Amino acid sequence: MTFNEFKYERPDFDQYKKEISSLVNQIESSNQPSAQIESIKQVWAKQSDLATQAELAAIRYSINTEDKFYEKESEYWDEFGPLYQEIELDFKKALVKSKFRKDLEKEFGTHYFNLLENGLKVFSPDVIEECQEENKLITEYNKLMASAKIEYNGTTYNLAGLGPFKISTDRSVRKESSELANDFFATNKNKFEDIFDKLVKLRDKKAKKLGFENYIEFGYVNMNRTDYDQNMVANFRKQILEYLVPTATKLYQRQKERLGLSELYYYDEKFEFNSGNAKPHGDAHFIVQNAQKMYNELSPETKEFFEFMVNSQLLDLETAPAKQPGGYCTYINNYKAPFIFSNFNGTAGDVDVLTHEVGHAFQVYQSRYIEIPDLMFPTCESCEIHSMSMEFITFPWMNLFFKEEADKYKFIHMSDALKFIPYGIIVDEFQHLIYANPNASAQERNTFFRELEKKYLPHRIYADAPLLEDGCFWFRQGHIFQLPFYYIDYTLAQICALQFWKKMNHDRTSAWQDYLNICKIGGLKSFLGIVQLGQLLSPFDNGCVENIIGEIDNYLSSINDKEFN
């Protein structure tokens, strides 16, 4: 079957509630662990049915936010999502309190029970109203972002469509296109700030209702961080500031010199060479064709996987009017099908996002044997190891996409990997500040962000961009609105991905096996358990960042980047 043939049908809430309640009663009345296990597996099957419909509705709405049918379905899931969560509370409680818990842990693993206990801490019927309102505000943000219709040179673009202009060899074009995007955010400044203010206060209220000191404490439990805490994250940020920020700042200085600029302004940062950034030498069809060749050659596992993705039409890659910005990978349970969504715009980012989301999709494809729906994907920071590592694992095939510009692309990509981490740290520290101070004003929040930029991105200059100088760059970072505290994950994973780059340079066979192992384990292990399985250094260990950045810095320093100019 192809994606268009996957059947969507709004579930019957009352029927689902009745079926789950009946199965929970069976679990609670079972006198044998084997009987409990059988009933548990029936609940998982029902959960998979429900998740399949929820994902189909979400995907189809994100593809076209003006589709009236799926707009209505999106509203349904915003309202009923928390009500379905309430139904599953009794199931989680039954498992956690089971008299056969030791037998169940032996069968399903202790990590699963840690996640169940976390789930009970972050949800109760008392916060259904807050969850519903939060869903609606997130949808409002997504619609606002998708509403951008920006006129430039006689054509209308969305935010993603402006991407190619922001890396134009003509500096005036870079400036103009960046200013047009800024104008959209400036025009809607009050809307972004109002949506976010409501979200922050709602989340703070929800966390305190559930007995947490604040939403930070809630956020760590909600993100299922079972083996690290705020102090470990703070120490990681400290390592980044000490060892990586100087390296990234040096890369920006090199960039400024090779471009021959007296100042590197914010709209110059994505433009790396006067000869132009490396670009894929073809359209979306060209990229997919060459990706198929790449994955055919990489391994038997990737060959089978990517053929399935293409043949089942599980890639929606090109930007379009009313399409949500960004990219993601999700999983459609009953069809055992990953799905990749993106907004190609003719830049190197098209290859970046494809290899990145393929990393997610390949992992979940390898984990299809796992019966527990909640463990198809691991926790978020572990997921990002798979995606970010795939970007580096595929380096040997970049000539397929970039031809003679392959080395230029690899230099830029490695540079960007390092440059990204300080920004990722800003987003994380910003969220800690926001939720520690939920009653801060809009201006105070913007000031928080701008001060963090000065700390972690000391090179950045916002010339003639009052909105950004005022600290409003964060409006465009969807995670801050949609997925609070999901961002340190990228930086932790990038440190792990850079280790895979290093391992691949020394022994591709063993490095690939390590990668395959962490894909196959799915969500059966916690973050540090997956790090250990992949034979990686923990990003939290003192010396880890210094060790990795040193080798990468040496690699980048050995390249004569001016020859690409």
Side-chain angles (χ1 to χ4, degrees):
M1 295 177 71
T2 64
F3 174 71
N4 287 337
E5 295 172 304
F6 292 180
K7 184 181 178 183
Y8 174 75
E9 186 175 5
R10 183 188 287 189
D12 183 321
F13 176 80
D14 293 330
Q15 180 67 22
Y16 183 82
K17 183 176 182 177
K18 181 180 176 182
E19 289 171 350
I20 298 297
S21 295
S22 173
L23 288 166
V24 168
N25 287 336
Q26 287 179 34
I27 291 167
E28 291 175 334
S29 61
S30 297
N31 292 318
Q32 295 292 330
S34 58
Q36 273 201 347
I37 288 168
E38 179 56 38
S39 296
I40 288 166
K41 290 183 177 182
Q42 289 181 51
V43 172
W44 290 343
K46 299 291 182 188
Q47 289 177 329
S48 290
D49 291 343
L50 188 74
T52 296
Q53 300 310 318
E55 288 303 330
L56 286 172
I59 293 166
R60 288 174 177 157
Y61 181 62
S62 69
I63 290 170
N64 180 7
T65 59
E66 293 179 356
D67 183 308
K68 295 303 178 186
F69 175 81
Y70 283 107
E71 183 177 31
K72 288 290 184 189
E73 295 311 294
S74 177
E75 290 170 1
Y76 170 81
W77 289 102
D78 283 349
E79 181 180 352
F80 277 81
L83 299 176
Y84 284 111
Q85 274 184 274
E86 183 184 17
I87 291 170
E88 293 179 5
L89 272 182
D90 289 339
F91 171 64
K92 291 177 180 179
K93 288 175 183 174
L95 267 61
V96 166
K97 295 177 180 177
S98 170
K99 59 188 172 185
F100 301 117
R101 177 156 169 176
K102 286 186 179 178
D103 299 278
L104 298 182
E105 286 192 12
K106 187 175 179 182
E107 181 78 11
F108 306 133
T110 56
H111 180 57
Y112 178 53
F113 281 82
N114 289 337
L115 299 184
L116 288 173
E117 289 180 343
N118 277 359
L120 291 172
K121 290 174 186 174
V122 296
F123 185 79
S124 87
D126 294 340
V127 296
I128 286 176
E129 190 177 324
E130 285 82 2
C131 291
Q132 290 172 327
E133 184 60 27
E134 184 177 7
N135 289 343
K136 289 172 185 175
L137 287 166
I138 291 168
T139 298
E140 188 179 342
Y141 169 79
N142 289 335
K143 288 185 76 170
L144 182 57
M145 289 289 283
S147 73
K149 292 180 173 60
I150 299 167
E151 298 292 328
Y152 189 49
N153 291 341
T155 304
T156 303
Y157 299 94
N158 61 13
L159 290 167
L162 286 177
F165 299 111
K166 294 181 180 180
I167 55 171
S168 169
T169 55
D170 185 333
R171 197 182 196 194
S172 66
V173 171
R174 299 200 296 273
K175 186 172 186 287
E176 288 167 2
S177 57
S178 295
E179 287 175 342
L180 286 170
N182 294 343
D183 288 346
F184 168 77
F185 289 102
T187 300
N188 293 285
K189 180 176 185 288
N190 291 340
K191 290 181 182 178
F192 283 109
E193 289 175 340
D194 182 56
I195 291 169
F196 191 62
D197 185 65
K198 289 176 181 175
L199 280 168
V200 171
K201 288 182 168 61
L202 196 65
R203 287 165 177 163
D204 182 66
K205 179 183 175 184
K206 180 169 71 171
K208 288 173 178 171
K209 258 192 178 184
L210 291 167
F212 292 96
E213 180 184 352
N214 55 32
Y215 193 79
I216 300 170
E217 189 181 358
F218 173 96
Y220 273 66
V221 176
N222 192 49
M223 293 298 293
N224 287 314
R225 292 171 181 166
T226 58
D227 48 11
Y228 64 96
D229 58 24
Q230 292 179 51
N231 292 331
M232 293 164 75
V233 170
N235 185 56
F236 174 67
R237 293 198 303 258
K238 183 181 173 185
Q239 289 187 68
I240 297 302
L241 183 63
E242 185 174 354
Y243 297 110
L244 197 146
V245 169
T247 299
T249 303
K250 189 166 66 175
L251 286 169
Y252 285 114
Q253 180 62 30
R254 284 176 72 177
Q255 182 181 356
K256 183 175 84 168
E257 289 173 3
R258 68 174 174 262
L259 293 176
L261 299 174
S262 58
E263 296 290 0
L264 185 78
Y265 292 127
Y266 77 98
Y267 52 76
D268 297 315
E269 287 183 16
K270 294 299 181 185
F271 180 67
E272 295 280 355
F273 298 100
N274 284 319
S275 59
N277 286 14
K279 292 194 297 187
H281 288 218
D283 59 11
H285 177 71
F286 165 87
I287 290 173
V288 171
Q289 270 193 321
N290 283 290
Q292 196 153 8
K293 176 176 172 58
M294 173 174 74
Y295 286 118
N296 281 354
E297 295 176 2
L298 175 54
S299 77
E301 296 89 355
T302 52
K303 178 179 187 293
E304 176 198 313
F305 151 77
F306 203 72
E307 284 179 355
F308 171 75
M309 295 294 289
V310 171
N311 293 340
S312 303
Q313 297 175 16
L314 295 164
L315 304 134
D316 191 290
L317 303 175
E318 296 178 82
T319 191
K323 188 176 182 180
Q324 265 183 219
Y328 64 76
C329 166
T330 189
Y331 184 70
I332 308 165
N333 295 57
N334 284 3
Y335 297 96
K336 294 190 178 295
F339 186 89
I340 292 175
F341 171 99
S342 183
N343 278 271
F344 278 12
N345 58 14
T347 68
D350 297 350
V351 176
D352 295 343
V353 76
L354 182 66
T355 54
H356 181 97
E357 301 304 342
V358 160
H360 289 307
F362 178 69
Q363 174 268 303
V364 75
Y365 186 83
Q366 292 299 308
S367 303
R368 292 177 304 164
Y369 70 94
I370 296 172
E371 290 183 273
I372 307 173
D374 290 344
L375 300 186
M376 297 299 299
F377 286 110
T379 50
C380 296
E381 70 292 270
S382 301
C383 283
E384 300 304 339
I385 300 176
H386 308 121
S387 57
M388 291 178 145
S389 297
M390 182 62 82
E391 296 174 35
F392 291 112
I393 289 168
T394 53
F395 259 25
W397 288 271
M398 288 302 106
N399 61 301
L400 293 175
F401 307 99
F402 298 99
K403 307 298 183 185
E404 70 282 357
E405 293 186 299
D407 288 338
K408 180 195 279 191
Y409 167 79
K410 286 188 276 189
F411 175 84
I412 294 173
H413 193 75
M414 180 61 80
S415 298
D416 282 350
L418 294 192
K419 289 175 177 177
F420 164 76
I421 293 174
Y423 173 73
I425 292 294
I426 289 171
V427 173
D428 180 66
E429 193 166 332
F430 176 65
Q431 294 188 89
H432 281 81
L433 286 168
I434 290 297
Y435 292 106
N437 302 278
N439 295 314
S441 67
Q443 184 54 55
E444 286 171 328
R445 289 176 186 139
N446 298 339
T447 300
F448 288 159
F449 195 84
R450 188 69 187 102
E451 289 304 311
L452 290 171
E453 285 184 307
K454 291 174 182 176
K455 178 179 175 181
Y456 291 103
L457 300 173
H459 71 281
R460 180 160 285 180
I461 303 172
Y462 287 127
D464 302 321
L467 181 81
L468 304 184
E469 186 58 52
D470 199 37
C472 298
F473 185 89
W474 62 272
F475 291 176
R476 64 198 72 196
Q477 190 58 65
H479 298 72
I480 293 172
F481 291 82
Q482 303 156 339
L483 300 161
F485 289 100
Y486 188 162
Y487 219 74
I488 196 68
D489 311 74
Y490 292 113
T491 63
L492 295 169
Q494 191 71 281
I495 293 298
C496 295
L498 291 169
Q499 292 182 66
F500 268 113
W501 171 82
K502 182 178 173 181
K503 287 153 68 84
M504 285 280 169
N505 288 340
H506 294 288
D507 185 344
R508 282 193 68 85
T509 302
S510 65
W512 174 252
Q513 190 57 53
D514 286 339
Y515 180 78
L516 198 55
N517 289 342
I518 67 168
C519 288
K520 288 179 176 178
I521 202 67
L524 296 174
K525 287 184 178 289
S526 64
F527 172 62
L528 291 179
I530 286 173
V531 166
Q532 185 177 29
L533 181 66
Q535 302 191 66
L536 303 165
L537 296 174
S538 166
F540 301 117
D541 290 348
N542 286 325
C544 173
V545 174
E546 182 182 15
N547 173 275
I548 295 163
I549 297 310
E551 181 155 339
I552 305 293
D553 191 19
N554 290 338
Y555 160 74
L556 290 170
S557 297
S558 71
I559 294 172
N560 178 12
D561 51 314
K562 291 179 180 175
E563 72 180 11
F564 300 135
N565 219 19

